[in-house]
């Protein structure tokens, strides 16, 4: 099934100059970039995006990380794009991430882990329209 998923290159990945390499990985894996933009999230935008994690002990630190610099937001599409993107990203903690995954290659810690990807169709249905309107998805 062709799916759409939200991908974010987080502030650590953007700052380190990994944007181009990460986009290249997605294209080589067969994803289509349906939309892309670079933004500097506000505190309330980051809090709203990570609302499901509001009770977690790392929430404030995560929001502060996600607002420390610009991020690159993308809508990716492809066959099983949601699970496929999670596979290419690797485990949340780079220590557990498989060889060849983005997090294994570029992430420094469980928090500063370079990329976000929707974890389910339900998440994608919330996350894509959180940042993109229908006319921006081509
Ligand atoms: P995911 O990004 O792999 O889906 P989630 O559990 O949804 O992982 O957590 C969202 C984000 O919160 C992670 O990508 C990471 O940046 C941060 N995070 C998750 N767990 C921890 C933790 O135990 N300590 C610090 N930050 C964390
Ligand atoms: Mg998640």
């Amino acid at each position: 099934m062709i799916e759409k998923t939200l991908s974010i290159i987080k502030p650590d990945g953007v700052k380190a100059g990994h944007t181009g390499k990460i986009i290249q990985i997605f294209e080589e894996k067969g994803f289509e970039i349906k939309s892309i933009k670079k933004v500097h999230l506000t505190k309330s935008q980051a809090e709203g995006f990570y609302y499901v994690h509001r009770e977690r002990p790392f929430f404030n630190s995560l929001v502060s990380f996600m607002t420390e610099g610009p991020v690159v937001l993308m809508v990716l599409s492809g066959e099983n794009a949601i699970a496929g993107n999670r596979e290419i990203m690797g485990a949340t903690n780079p220590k557990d991430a498989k060889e060849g995954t983005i997090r294994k290659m570029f992430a420094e810690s469980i928090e500063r882990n370079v990329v976000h990807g929707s974890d389910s169709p339900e998440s994608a249905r919330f996350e894509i329209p959180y940042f993109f309107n229908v006319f921006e998805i081509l």
Side-chain angles (χ1 to χ4, degrees):
M1 193 188 22
I2 300 288
E3 292 174 328
K4 288 203 252 325
T5 190
L6 184 83
S7 170
I8 306 178
I9 305 176
K10 295 183 179 184
D12 56 341
V14 172
K15 187 157 187 225
H18 295 321
T19 301
K21 281 172 275 183
I22 292 169
I23 291 172
Q24 184 171 10
I25 291 167
F26 289 138
E27 291 196 316
E28 283 174 357
K29 296 281 186 183
F31 291 106
E32 189 183 333
I33 298 165
K34 306 289 279 185
S35 201
I36 182 164
K37 59 188 171 190
K38 187 173 193 175
V39 300
H40 194 145
L41 297 177
T42 64
K43 184 166 181 273
S44 61
Q45 285 169 337
E47 285 171 347
F49 181 74
Y50 280 121
Y51 182 77
V52 292
H53 293 313
R54 67 195 176 283
E55 308 292 351
R56 308 286 282 276
F58 58 81
F59 182 71
N60 289 336
S61 176
L62 174 61
V63 167
S64 145
F65 163 49
M66 290 299 289
T67 57
E68 74 179 33
V71 298
V72 173
L73 305 170
M74 287 176 279
V75 179
L76 303 178
S77 82
E79 190 66 29
N80 297 317
I82 296 169
N85 179 37
R86 297 288 302 189
E87 191 71 29
I88 293 164
M89 288 163 56
T92 307
N93 188 341
K95 290 194 185 107
D96 304 325
K98 285 189 210 145
E99 214 58 53
T101 61
I102 292 170
R103 283 167 166 171
K104 179 72 176 186
M105 288 190 276
F106 303 129
E108 64 190 59
S109 71
I110 192 169
E111 177 172 271
R112 304 178 71 82
N113 60 5
V114 182
V115 277
H116 167 87
S118 307
D119 67 0
S120 64
E122 186 191 14
S123 300
R125 271 196 299 276
F126 167 73
E127 293 178 355
I128 293 170
Y130 190 84
F131 290 122
F132 293 91
N133 77 54
V134 67
F135 302 108
E136 296 175 306
I137 301 170
L138 305 176

